[in-house]
């Protein structure tokens, strides 16, 4: 959970933010919005309105300019999520490789449906579109890591490992 | 013949030292030290290379449209927002050999007179962003980026920009909006990005594979590149093979091999997985028309279908398809075409930016109708309704997402109407787990 008082990037992230802003011409710092939202989500797990206000303030843009962007792109979580967000690809090529069965197994194993978080707050499952890994499907992603050629057994191993 | 992937499996090719040992960055030396920007552009024109992102527009011609007003910066933006279902070639290339792209970026930026360039990578590929950023730092450290590159007097800064998860940002004007920190809503054209692009400055947007190929073109000459391939399909193409083939993966093919060879030869996909038969192929990413086995292997005139822009589109949309992005999805007889079409319909519904009502509403309707057919609730009139909605989206939107959403639905019905009818007539059978319609007498039927 976040609250306004504690929302402040650590010093090294803040330094990175200022470096990112310099990638664009003077006055075009709004371009840094997506990279910085990624940093914010990495820091606070999800983009609460307080987090988005903080980002707006950093970039000297209106809060609504952040809200409309964060809500447009699927990667940004606008609700609290679990410690591990599992984003599985539901598009055609992954389904051809048995994706539907594997994802059903995943949901059964965690006892939750897509969009839900386990009671212990450990896992959230999200359904996403094509992850550009079609030849290596079925695929899901947890943070930056791709898990490919998934089978029920592999899913068990991954979940067991992350549950430790 | 390999241009982009010759050294891709060399141990350590992601590092600048190994990459240079294999001849990497020689095109930067050659271009910056011995050629003018116009001479570089001329070679790219001669090569005949066409945009590898899907549209297939001649790259040299696109470059020549770039406006060059005095005192206004120009930009090169690499489109690495690879999101078309079935396509994962750019992901593969950048992940394995980031310097291949960076070298192409330097050569291309020099040709266009850009001093700042961006690589826009889909946000899901954050690990690839990290690989690219590491490689870019190496290039700065060796004097291949930054001020006065290799003493040539040419300056270039190169940055990687992550997206946020939106297929639409692969459309070049939506990509530019996104790079400006906005929602990915495509812009009306004209003005084209070549005149008013990033921050209203002249901009060229090219796909990863197109930009990466420029290094070879500069090293060997545009004429040499044009010798590979057939007719207006010059050079090599990365094909992402997925689905029911023995060896899914990314293959660099010389344009012009037969589709049959690509699917069945051991050099490429190695055939359909054991004990199964080829039913259908989506040859160029999810948006291009699906073709049944007999039409993907041969044109209606009985000619062997080739992996070229022209041969794949032979027959128009009645009996042909498109090379597109090279996202080659192969389906065997276990595939339910209705389910596959539903996943594509759902995809475009999810990815429509919502700006144009025909697309925003139409993709939703198609998704809904496909869903009810797949789930045994289809109505007799639904098939014609889908065709009608698809027709009404096509051509009525700012960007080509409208067409991309319409074509796969229209083509699935065109070639597999009986399968949709079967779902509607026999919902109790069609909704059973693993149930697939078998067309009597079809080459894939069991």
């Amino acid at each position: 959970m976040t609250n306004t008082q504690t929302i402040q990037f650590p010093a090294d992230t803040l330094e990175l933010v200022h470096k990112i802003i310099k990638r664009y011409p003077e006055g075009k710092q709004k371009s840094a919005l997506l990279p910085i939202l990624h940093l914010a989500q990495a820091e606070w797990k999800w983009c609460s309105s307080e987090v988005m206000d903080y980002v707006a303030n950093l970039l000297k843009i209106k809060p609504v300019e952040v809200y409309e962007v964060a809500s447009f792109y699927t990667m940004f979580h606008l609700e609290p999520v679990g410690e591990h967000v599992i984003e599985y690809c539901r598009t055609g090529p992954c389904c051809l490789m048995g994706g539907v069965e594997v994802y059903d197994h995943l949901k059964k194993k965690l006892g939750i449906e897509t969009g839900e978080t386990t009671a212990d707050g450990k896992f959230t499952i999200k359904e996403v579109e094509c992850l550009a890994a079609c030849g290596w499907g079925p695929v899901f992603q947890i943070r930056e890591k791709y898990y490919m050629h998934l089978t029920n057994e592999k899913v068990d191993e991954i979940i067991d490992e992350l549950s430790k | 013949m390999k241009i982009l992937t010759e050294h891709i499996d060399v141990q350590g090719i992601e590092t600048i030292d190994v990459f240079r040992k294999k001849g990497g960055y020689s095109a930067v030396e050659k271009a910056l030290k011995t050629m003018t920007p116009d001479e570089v552009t001329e070679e790219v024109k001669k090569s005949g290379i066409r945009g590898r992102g899907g549209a297939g527009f001649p790259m040299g011609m696109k470059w020549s449209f770039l406006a060059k007003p005095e005192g206004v910066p120009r930009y090169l933006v690499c489109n690495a927002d690879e999101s078309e279902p079935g396509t994962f070639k750019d992901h593969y290339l950048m992940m394995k050999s980031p310097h291949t792209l960076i070298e192409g970026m330097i050569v291309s930026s020099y040709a266009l007179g850009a001093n700042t360039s961006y690589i826009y990578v889909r946000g899901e590929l954050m690990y690839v962003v990290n690989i690219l950023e590491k490689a870019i730092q190496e290039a700065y450290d060796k004097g291949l980026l930054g001020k006065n590159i290799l003493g040539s007097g040419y300056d270039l800064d190169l940055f990687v920009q992550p997206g946020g998860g939106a297929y639409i940002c692969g459309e070049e004007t939506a990509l530019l909006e996104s790079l400006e920190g906005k929602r990915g809503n495509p812009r009306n054209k004209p003005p084209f990005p070549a005149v008013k692009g990033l921050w209203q400055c002249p901009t060229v947007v090219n796909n990863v594979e197109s930009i990466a190929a420029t290094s070879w073109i500069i090293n060997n000459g545009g004429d040499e590149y044009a010798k590979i391939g057939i007719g207006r399909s010059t050079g090599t193409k990365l094909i992402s093979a997925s689905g029911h083939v023995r060896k899914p993966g990314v293959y660099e093919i010389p344009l012009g091999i037969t589709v049959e060879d690509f699917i069945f030869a051991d050099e490429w996909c190695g055939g359909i997985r054991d004990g199964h038969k080829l039913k259908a192929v989506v040859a160029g990413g999810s948006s291009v028309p699906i073709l049944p086995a007999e039409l993907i292997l041969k044109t209606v005139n009985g000619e062997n279908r080739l992996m070229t822009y022209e041969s794949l589109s032979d027959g128009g949309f009645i009996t042909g398809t498109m090379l597109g992005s090279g996202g080659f999805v192969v389906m065997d007889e276990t595939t339910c075409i209705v389910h596959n079409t539903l996943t594509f319909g759902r995809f475009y519904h999810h990815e429509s930016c919502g700006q144009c009502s025909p697309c925003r509403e139409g993709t939703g309707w198609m998704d809904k109708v496909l869903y009810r057919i797949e789930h045994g609730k289809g109505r007799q009139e639904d098939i014609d309704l889908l065709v009608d909605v698809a027709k009404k989206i096509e051509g009525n939107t700012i960007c080509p997402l409208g067409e991309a959403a319409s074509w796969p639905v229209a083509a699935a019905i065109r070639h597999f109407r009986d399968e949709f009818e079967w779902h509607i007539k026999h919902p109790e059978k069609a909704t059973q787990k693993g149930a697939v319609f078998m067309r009597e007498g079809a080459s894939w039927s069991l």
Side-chain angles (χ1 to χ4, degrees), chain B residues 208-388:
Chain B
V208 172
E209 187 187 346
S210 316
I211 290 173
T214 57
S215 308
W216 194 95
I217 292 169
I218 292 314
N219 280 330
N220 300 275
D223 289 333
E224 278 306 301
Y225 188 86
K227 283 182 193 160
I228 310 164
I230 295 178
R232 289 184 58 236
S233 294
T234 63
T236 65
K237 174 89 188 81
L238 295 178
I239 306 291
S240 320
S242 65
H244 299 140
V245 288
R246 280 209 184 117
K247 300 185 296 169
V250 176
Y251 296 99
E252 182 173 7
I253 62 157
L255 286 168
I257 65 169
T258 65
V259 172
E260 188 168 355
D261 268 353
F262 181 68
I263 298 174
F264 293 99
D266 282 336
E267 195 181 351
W268 318 111
C269 299
I272 306 301
R273 60 181 179 167
D274 285 340
H276 293 278
K277 291 172 173 177
L278 175 65
K279 179 176 181 179
V281 171
V282 173
S286 58
S287 60
V288 311
I290 188 173
L291 288 182
E294 62 274 15
L295 282 176
I296 189 67
L297 297 175
K298 289 192 190 298
T299 66
V300 271
N301 299 322
E303 287 163 11
N304 278 332
R305 188 85 76 178
L306 307 179
M307 297 290 281
T308 62
Y309 293 93
E310 293 75 20
S311 180
L312 281 166
S313 59
D314 186 295
F317 275 7
I318 307 298
T319 59
T321 180
M322 286 167 79
L323 177 63
S325 62
F328 200 90
V329 189
V330 178
M331 301 169 203
D332 69 17
E333 82 289 343
T334 65
T335 309
C336 170
I337 300 296
V338 175
H339 181 262
N340 189 69
T341 310
L342 167 63
T343 76
F344 289 169
R346 192 168 61 185
F347 174 86
Y348 290 105
H349 178 205
H350 184 265
E351 300 303 332
S352 172
C353 80
Q355 210 181 186
C356 312
S357 29
C359 174
R360 182 187 62 238
E361 302 302 318
T363 54
W365 293 349
M366 290 199 298
D367 180 9
K368 212 169 172 179
V369 174
L370 285 164
Y371 183 90
R372 73 182 179 221
I373 297 175
E374 166 69 7
H375 290 85
K377 300 273 192 309
R379 303 166 195 167
Q380 212 41 251
E381 63 275 18
D382 276 350
I383 299 175
D384 290 332
L385 178 62
L386 282 172
V387 174
D388 186 53

Side-chain angles (χ1 to χ4, degrees), chain B residues 46-69:
Chain B
K46 274 197 248 170
S47 75
I49 185 171
R50 293 163 67 175
R52 300 301 196 219
F57 190 81
M59 187 177 180
M61 199 188 291
K62 192 172 190 180
W63 282 13
S64 68
F65 294 152
L66 186 68
K68 295 176 178 168

Side-chain angles (χ1 to χ4, degrees), chain A residues 20 22-25 28 30-35 38 65 67-69 71-76 90-93 95-97 100-101 104 127-136 141 143-146 148, chain B residues 75 82 85-88 91 118 122-127 130 133 159-166 168-169 178-185 199 241-244 248 329 331 335 340 343 346-347 350-351:
Chain A
I20 290 171
K22 288 207 186 87
R23 293 174 184 172
Y24 320 101
K28 304 295 182 196
K30 184 175 172 176
S31 284
L33 182 49
L34 288 178
H38 282 298
E65 293 178 88
Y67 307 159
E68 66 169 9
V69 162
S71 60
F72 182 86
Y73 296 92
T74 49
M75 289 182 76
F76 302 112
R90 68 176 185 182
T91 321
C95 292
L96 290 178
M97 302 315 286
V100 176
E101 291 73 22
D104 281 346
E127 199 173 53
V128 295
E129 296 296 351
C130 188
L131 290 170
C134 315
W136 313 308
Q141 176 169 33
R143 281 277 193 109
E144 291 175 17
K145 196 169 157 65
Y146 273 62
M148 307 191 269
Chain B
Y75 295 102
E82 186 172 58
T87 316
F88 50 103
H91 177 179
Y118 299 91
R122 61 176 300 173
E124 292 88 342
L125 292 179
M126 200 56 90
Y127 85 97
N130 296 335
E133 283 186 336
F159 302 108
V160 186
Q161 177 89 355
I168 190 60
C169 293
S178 180
L179 185 43
E180 293 181 5
K182 302 178 203 156
R183 297 164 72 94
N185 286 349
W199 303 303
S242 65
H244 299 140
V329 189
M331 301 169 203
T335 309
N340 189 69
T343 76
R346 192 168 61 185
F347 174 86
H350 184 265
E351 300 303 332

Side-chain angles (χ1 to χ4, degrees), chain A residues 30-50:
Chain A
K30 184 175 172 176
S31 284
L33 182 49
L34 288 178
I36 289 170
L37 275 174
H38 282 298
L39 291 177
Q41 186 155 293
E43 187 70 37
W44 294 290
K45 299 269 181 211
W46 66 289
C47 296
S48 64
S49 48
E50 291 83 4

